[in-house]
Every structure is written in C-alpha cells, then in structure tokens.
Amino acid sequence: MGMTGTKRVLSSEATQFIGKEISISGWVRIRRDHGKLIFLDIRDREGIIQVVVNPKVSEEAYREALELKPEYVVTIVGKVNKRPETAINKDIISGTVELEALKIKIITKAKILPFDMGGNELNLELPTLLDHRALTLRHPKIQAIFKIQAVIIDSFREYLKKEGFFEFQAPSIAPAVAEGGAEVFQIDYFGNKAYLSQSPQLYKQIVMSAFERVFSVNKIFRAEPSVTTRHLAEVISLDAEMAFIDSWTDVKDMAESVVRYILERVGKECGSELKLYNAALPKMIDKTPVLSLREAQEKIFKHSKRDVRKDKDLNPEDEKEICAIIKEETGSDFVFIYGYPTKNKPFYVYPNPKDPQYNEGMDLLCRGVEWLSGGRRVNDYDQLMNHVKEWNMDPKKIAMFLEAFSYGVPPEGGFAFGAERMTMQILELQNVREASMFPRDMERIDERLSKVK
Ligand code: AMO
C-alpha cells in the first residue's frame, strides 16, 4: 500500500490510469527546476516516469519537492496526464504520460552523490565505475547490461530444458584440478588441500552418465595471473553435456542452436537496452562456418602473411584476425574452430581416431573473442585410463569421475559458455569487467587490493 492507502502503481502501468489519481514509489533520478515548475524523473523497477510539480496545483508538494536530491526514495501521489504530442518521450516506458504531483513524501534521504548520475551516459573511468558499483548499478545504462545478461542465462536454461536437458548444481569445492594449468585457487580445507572449481567439467560428465542430458549455471574460478580485458577470476559458466552423440558435430550443432535462441530472445526482449549502446546483435548466418585450427592458421597466413601455422592454439590476435576474415567472406560474426593438438588440451577431450594428434574439441569465436569451448569426450574407460597416465594425473583424485566411466558411458560431449564474454560481445563493451556485476580479478575483490603478489 502507498502512503494514502492506494495501491502502488509502477511506471510501466501509469498509461492505464490517464485522468486518475495514483501513487508511485521510487528513487529520484533527476530534479530539474524550470522557473516555477519542478520536473522529477522517478525510477522504479520497471523504468522511469516524469513528475511535474506545480505550486499552483499543490503548494505542499512543491515545498517538499524543493528538498529532493538524487536517489532520495519517495512516494508521490498525483494525477496522470497525457503529454502533448510534442512532449512524448519514446525512450521511457511511461513516455506518453506524466504525473502531476499532489503529495510528495520522502521515505529515505540519500548522501550527496560522488559524481553526476543524471545523464544518459555515465562517463566514468572503469575503476571508479567498479569502486562505486553499489551506486552505479542504479544507472539505466548499467542496468541494461545486466538485464541482457539475465535474458542470456534464462534463454540458455529455457532452450536446453526444451531439448530434454536436466539442470543440476555443480559443487564449487573440488579435490582435483579439472582443466589442468596453474590458474587455480588452492584452499585450505580443514587442513587438506582443495581447489575452487575451475569448471564443473568432471561433475557434468558424471551427472550426464546418469541423466543423459544435463546443464548447470554456476560460478567457476580461475586464478588468472594477468590483467586482460577478457579475463575474470570468477566467471558465470553456462555448461551442458549430452550423451548418445554420433559425432562431435552434434555437440557443435547444439551449441549453435543455443546461441541462435539466445540471440533471438535478446533481440525480442532487449530492444531498448541494445539501443542504449547502439548495439547490433552479432550476425549468425544459416550455417556457422567451421574451420580446423590448421585451416584457420592457413587462412591467417594467406591473409596477412603472419605465419602461426605451427602454433598449438590461436592467440588473441589470431582470434581477431580469423573473425575478421570470416566476417568478410561470409557475413558471419561467428566461427567454430576445431581440431586442437591433443596433448595441449585436457585429458578428457576425444582424439580424432583418424589423426589422433588432433582432438575433437572446438571453440566458438564471436567478434574476435572466444565464447565457448567444448567437443566430444573420451567415453571408453580403458582409453580414459590411458589418458590419465599420459597426462600424469593421480587417478585417486578423480576416483568418482572414473567410477562413472567404469560402469558404461555412451559417446558423449558438451560445451561451456562464459556469460560475461557473451554479454560483452553482444554490447561490444571494451572490458569484460563491465559485464560482471561484481568482477573479481587479481587487483580487486569489490575494493582494490593493496597487496598483489
Ligand atoms: P574453457 O576453459 O575454455 O572450457 O571455458 C569455457 C568458457 O568460459 C569462459 N571463460 C572465461 N571468461 C572470462 N574470464 C575467464 N577467466 C574465463 N575462463 C573461461 C569463456 C570460455 O570460452 N571444461 C571446458 C568446457 C567444456 O569443454 O565443456 C572449459 O572450462 O567464454
């Protein structure tokens, strides 16, 4: 109930009450004084509504309006008036109406803001934006990033559920390192060594061996030792795994349809958010181009004479270049790269039976940045045990995973997307930290760290 006993109306509903008295509640985004009139932009969870305060209509409301500052929480009772044609604002949800204030009540006051939040743009350096996340999260342009991210995550879930995938919760504490490499946080677990999960990889494979098709939306942790525009220490990972595949291309096709669906929903539901960034959705053509690593390196060589043909992976410059080449050749903003040197990737990736030096793992690149990794996995127990030896792993540390495979697992594969990378590339943000609500990196946990080893 509002302060007058009338039910709270949201900014998005105001247009249904033309000529009527309603009560709204929210935060003061902007106060503009125009001679004897005061205009307020009030923000609630749905958007913004303009309030006009005229002393001739209500002396009392006007006196109260003179007290208002940005981010004060208020309840305002007023009459909904249609705006004249010339004053319609298409960019806000209630843009065809405004509220004529009759009563204003301050619910909570706010401190003076450290910077101006009233403009359409929030022109802050990234560190300041992140230092004040608790405040900058209130700016419509910042909110847009996370509305899009929520739609990405929801579409991922929705699509996979429709395809018969079962959602599970992966653990965050792991006894072993799933992906290999040094980028792992070791923790003291009651005097034992344990790790923050780098990936739910081994768990999604275990759960798949019981439920066939599974997915999880969870946090993964990477002790990234360098500061780049693409790496976070804590990532939202959208993981899937599926049994009974005929080939790694089944996994690739599933990943492609997931992306297609995500883009479709973001396009339909986030028009105004995309507009704030002048962002065009990345283009996915009918069949996303697929290149082996070696083919991609050949293309790069032909294109710029840069010879990376013996490299074991694409570096960031290669990723940019191959995406640019593919865009020019086909119009696609996406390209799949498959067939990496087997020994350079984790032990669970399936080697190509015709050419076991290369594997059936793949990456999906979008606009120059990797969005996804995945591929077919080794499902035969003996082959898996051979890999465990060759990769110098301790079978005891992954005993639960190995047990699943000792009891029969069909050909299978899966993939994982980073939600922040997807959000970043859709909006063409310069830094992945902008697409993480509370980004962690080697220099920051909420606050900037004074000590970095
Ligand atoms: P990978 O390590 O390639 O694969 O991770 C999958 C996807 O997660 C995102 N990502 C990151 N995003 C931001 N910062 C990071 N530090 C970071 N690390 C990863 C990327 C990447 O494409 N187990 C495999 C997946 C699989 O095979 O199913 C894995 O973890 O978008």
Side-chain angles (χ1 to χ4, degrees), residues 291-305:
L291 298 175
S292 71
L293 174 70
R294 295 302 180 218
E295 286 166 350
Q297 291 169 328
E298 248 345 296
K299 265 191 193 291
I300 291 172
F301 183 63
K302 273 212 187 97
H303 182 254
S304 66
K305 292 283 165 287

Side-chain angles (χ1 to χ4, degrees), residues 125-132 439 441-452:
E125 299 287 332
L126 185 61
T128 313
L129 177 87
L130 298 178
D131 287 344
H132 294 277
D441 62 38
M442 67 187 300
E443 295 174 341
R444 175 187 299 276
I445 317 174
D446 294 347
E447 292 184 16
R448 292 184 224 180
L449 301 170
S450 53
K451 255 195 299 183
V452 177

Side-chain angles (χ1 to χ4, degrees), residues 260-271:
R260 209 177 283 285
Y261 186 70
I262 291 175
L263 294 177
E264 189 187 311
R265 266 194 63 188
V266 170
K268 262 195 216 140
E269 293 168 35
C270 304

Side-chain angles (χ1 to χ4, degrees), residues 17-35:
F17 292 90
I18 290 168
K20 300 213 173 83
E21 207 176 292
I22 63 166
S23 166
I24 61 155
S25 292
W27 287 262
V28 175
R29 174 157 154 67
I30 307 170
R31 175 184 132 193
R32 280 183 300 264
D33 297 4
H34 275 284

Side-chain angles (χ1 to χ4, degrees), residues 178-179 183 198-202 204-205 220-224 228-241 251 345-346 348-349 361-365 369-377 413-422 432 440:
E179 299 295 309
E183 291 128 28
Q198 265 182 318
S199 158
Q201 183 64 36
L202 304 186
K204 69 178 174 175
Q205 290 189 255
I220 59 168
F221 305 90
R222 306 273 170 113
E224 297 291 348
T228 80
T229 56
R230 294 166 299 125
H231 288 96
L232 295 161
E234 186 175 325
V235 179
I236 306 168
S237 182
L238 310 178
D239 272 89
E241 197 74 10
V251 181
K345 292 286 172 178
Y348 56 77
V349 188
M362 62 173 186
D363 286 340
L364 175 65
L365 313 184
V369 170
E370 180 196 308
W371 268 26
L372 161 148
S373 286
R376 183 169 170 184
R377 331 290 192 186
F415 50 83
F417 293 97
E420 296 88 351
R421 291 245 182 117
M422 295 178 92
V432 72
R440 271 85 175 94

